[in-house]
Amino acid sequence: MSNGQNKAIFWASFCTLIAAGMGFAIRGAILNDWANQYGFTKTDLGTITGGGLVGFGVIIILSSFIVDKVGYKPLMLIAFVLHVLSALITLAATPVFVAAGKDATYWCLYIGMFMFAIANGLCEAVINPLTATLFPHKKTHYLNILHAGWPGGLILGGILAFLFCGVGAKISHLQWEIPMLLFLIPTALYGFVVVREKFPESEATAAGVSVGQMLAEFAAPILLFLFVLHAMVGYVELGTDSWITNIIENVTAEYAILLFIYTSSIMFVLRFFAGPIVEHINPIGLLLISSILGCIGLLLLGNSTLMPMLILAATIYGVGKTFLWPTMLGVVGERYPKGGAMTMGVMGGIGMLSAGLLGGPGIGYNQDFFASKELAAKSEPTFERYQNAKESGFLFFPKIHGLDGSKVGVVSDNGQQLAVDLKRAEEGEESKELQALNAWWQSAKEFEKTDKPLVQEAGLFGGQMALVWTALVPAMMAVGYLLLFIYFQATGGYHAVDLAREKELEEGDPKHRGEKYTGGVEGPVK
């Protein structure tokens, strides 16, 4: 393949992550719109966003087992179609709410997010091994550049959210459907390249690695340990990012999205410099430092209310999470290249599944748990007025009554948005839902002066405590990376395995005799 083709395919892959990042950022910014409009709790919202990540993870894993056989291009074409369909299904949420109510709307959004995630998962299953194929001797470096597309999408989505999403929108609070659709622009760009260009065969296929050899890689104990660590990466990075804007809005509604854009900008810039960093610090050392910074950043975010401290905390957290995901993929690609798309796909899938099944719902549950506990302790009557009638739970933890998002939204703006919604509501289920909410507000309004600060303080406390507890995850990651660092130091240092040279050695090529290892880090790392 020509260098021009390589670049076109690589930047098309970059655009898939731009699309995913934009959708992710805008979705995080419109969670309050969904809560206010449809009456969801934090746990409900966490499950909807988590459903998207679950679909992402399942598809990465399943499709990674067929990428080397089916090829890169067909899967990318399917992803393009699914991205478009996901937009159409998500847009149906409000008509579904009018026709069938809250529960049906929940499933509409869940399915829309799930389909969006399937498209993202197909892309992720392809673009990681594809990048390793295009740049076999600089995998970690180019995987980090590739994954700069993710924060790039977060930045674009964050700017759109700052200007057009939520009651604090700087230009105009648009209906959430409008900004949500804009991820289709980078989708169209990558779709054009996919249709037009010819894709290479995978590195493992070119080296003649059999399916049996690929599967045999999964027996490696270090690879299995890396899978466990990447589950934690998924929880702490994507799980937290699903909620971070929503949580910081409790501290500073005006600047929450700007902090999100700021941390995403840190990630975007630094990922272009992963190569030089890895040349001085081996990938495991970089992961160790990153996890320590991530832990410190989350602890500070969970205990900061003043803007200078929030900026410092966001900086530390942003730097900490920057290299985790792509460097983990780089380590797997360099150490276990015989696994091809399988090992990299399972790695990414495990991270997404952890974020979707544990991170999003778990952090949402923690917010509900601590917020409801705080509000009940300060005023039982206020808690009874604002609790959700339906219990929610997470894993084996006790079921709780979280705070009703619609009621919190009403008291937050003194019923202004409710009055607007009632005025424009048409007859049907939506009108009944709004009438019920309005009836509640008429009885609760007399307590607004005392209830409002208590509810807001409870929301702030719940969000901050959720971040503090999440900091335990990167702390455990740091222990794991330290053990890996010690292991590689004891076994001669970190080396990247080169399949092409291994094949030449097996075939007796005298030029490369004794050169089994090469790649991102040259020789033992000091």
Side-chain angles (χ1 to χ4, degrees):
M1 293 186 67
S2 69
N3 189 48
Q5 282 178 300
N6 280 1
K7 286 184 177 179
I9 293 171
F10 177 75
W11 291 115
S13 302
F14 187 87
C15 281
T16 67
L17 290 176
I18 290 280
M22 284 182 67
F24 187 88
I26 293 170
R27 183 178 68 205
I30 62 176
L31 289 180
N32 278 337
D33 286 352
W34 287 355
N36 297 342
Q37 190 171 343
Y38 307 126
F40 297 135
T41 66
K42 299 292 187 185
T43 304
D44 291 332
L45 295 171
T47 306
I48 290 170
T49 58
L53 296 173
V54 169
F56 205 151
V58 169
I59 286 300
I60 293 175
I61 293 173
L62 293 179
S63 56
S64 68
F65 285 89
I66 62 172
V67 168
D68 290 298
K69 296 301 177 184
V70 174
Y72 297 134
K73 184 166 184 170
L75 294 179
M76 291 288 278
L77 288 172
I78 295 171
F80 172 70
V81 173
L82 289 174
H83 265 135
V84 175
L85 289 176
S86 73
L88 297 176
I89 292 173
T90 303
L91 281 179
T94 298
V96 167
F97 184 68
V98 172
K102 175 180 173 181
D103 290 343
T105 306
Y106 170 91
W107 284 109
C108 181
L109 290 173
Y110 188 94
I111 292 169
M113 292 300 99
F114 197 87
M115 187 169 286
F116 179 74
I118 290 174
N120 292 338
L122 287 172
C123 291
E124 183 85 4
V126 169
I127 62 176
N128 292 319
L130 174 58
T131 299
T133 297
L134 295 174
F135 307 101
H137 300 294
K138 293 184 176 181
K139 293 176 184 177
T140 298
H141 177 56
Y142 276 98
L143 279 165
N144 269 278
I145 292 176
L146 171 70
H147 282 268
W150 172 256
L154 297 182
I155 293 167
L156 292 174
I159 291 171
L160 290 168
F162 179 68
L163 298 177
F164 302 113
C165 296
V167 293
K170 289 303 177 182
I171 293 181
S172 175
H173 181 191
L174 299 178
Q175 288 292 108
W176 64 263
E177 291 90 343
I178 297 173
M180 192 69 196
L181 275 178
L182 294 177
F183 80 89
L184 291 175
I185 296 173
T187 298
L189 292 175
Y190 91 73
F192 175 76
V193 174
V194 170
V195 170
R196 183 177 176 179
E197 297 292 342
K198 181 180 179 181
F199 282 63
E201 63 180 1
S202 72
E203 182 185 19
T205 300
V209 178
S210 68
V211 174
Q213 288 175 304
M214 293 180 188
L215 292 172
E217 293 285 80
F218 288 93
I222 296 298
L223 179 61
L224 298 177
F225 188 53
L226 288 169
F227 287 160
V228 173
L229 288 172
H230 200 63
M232 298 184 194
V233 171
Y235 187 108
V236 75
E237 181 179 338
L238 296 181
T240 303
D241 280 356
S242 296
W243 279 111
I244 194 70
T245 300
N246 189 267
I247 291 173
I248 297 301
E249 280 179 348
N250 293 321
V251 183
T252 171
E254 186 176 0
Y255 298 109
I257 192 65
L258 291 180
L259 282 173
F260 182 78
I261 294 169
Y262 172 63
T263 58
S264 299
S265 299
I266 291 172
M267 292 175 67
F268 181 78
V269 172
L270 290 182
R271 283 183 175 179
F272 282 90
F273 299 97
I277 294 173
V278 170
E279 287 178 4
H280 294 89
I281 309 172
N282 78 46
I284 305 302
L286 178 59
L287 290 166
L288 172 59
I289 293 170
S290 296
S291 58
I292 293 171
L293 290 176
C295 177
I296 294 171
L298 285 171
L299 286 173
L300 290 175
L301 280 171
N303 288 280
S304 302
T305 54
L306 299 176
M307 185 53 65
M309 281 302 297
L310 278 173
I311 294 173
L312 175 63
T315 302
I316 296 172
Y317 170 67
V319 173
K321 69 176 180 172
T322 290
F323 300 110
L324 290 171
W325 191 283
T327 302
M328 285 290 284
L329 291 172
V331 169
V332 170
E334 289 181 346
R335 292 294 302 178
Y336 303 96
K338 286 184 180 179
M342 287 188 188
T343 48
M344 295 184 81
V346 170
M347 170 70 82
I350 286 172
M352 289 293 176
L353 284 173
S354 173
L357 294 173
L358 303 176
I363 295 172
Y365 173 86
N366 277 336
Q367 289 180 77
D368 279 340
F369 177 83
F370 287 107
S372 59
K373 185 178 179 181
E374 176 78 356
L375 187 57
K378 288 189 173 181
S379 174
E380 187 68 34
T382 302
F383 172 66
E384 289 178 358
R385 275 191 290 274
Y386 286 86
Q387 69 175 328
N388 194 283
K390 184 179 177 182
E391 282 188 321
S392 55
F394 175 66
L395 297 180
F396 51 82
F397 296 101
K399 289 192 173 185
I400 56 170
H401 289 278
L403 303 184
D404 188 302
S406 292
K407 295 176 181 178
V408 172
V410 170
V411 75
S412 296
D413 68 358
N414 302 318
Q416 293 178 18
Q417 187 61 45
L418 174 60
V420 172
D421 291 341
L422 280 168
K423 187 175 291 187
R424 71 182 179 202
E426 297 177 357
E427 290 300 319
E429 189 68 29
E430 182 183 18
S431 181
K432 293 177 184 177
E433 295 267 356
L434 287 172
Q435 292 295 342
L437 183 60
N438 186 53
W440 166 83
W441 175 236
Q442 296 309 313
S443 64
K445 190 159 49 174
E446 63 178 297
F447 306 103
E448 181 263 336
K449 287 186 179 180
T450 54
D451 284 354
K452 184 174 181 178
L454 292 174
V455 170
Q456 291 176 334
E457 288 169 12
L460 171 62
F461 180 77
Q464 290 190 311
M465 287 302 296
L467 292 177
V468 169
W469 279 87
T470 302
L472 290 173
V473 180
M476 292 187 289
M477 288 161 51
V479 174
Y481 290 131
L482 179 60
L483 292 175
L484 281 179
F485 188 87
I486 294 170
Y487 167 80
F488 282 114
Q489 289 297 100
T491 54
Y494 179 91
H495 302 276
V497 178
D498 190 315
L499 278 183
R501 292 198 179 189
E502 280 201 344
K503 186 176 181 182
E504 289 173 352
L505 283 170
E506 290 171 3
E507 294 172 354
D509 188 331
K511 287 192 304 180
H512 301 296
R513 188 165 289 128
E515 298 179 11
K516 185 175 181 181
Y517 297 104
T518 188
V521 180
E522 299 178 1
V525 176
K526 296 179 181 179

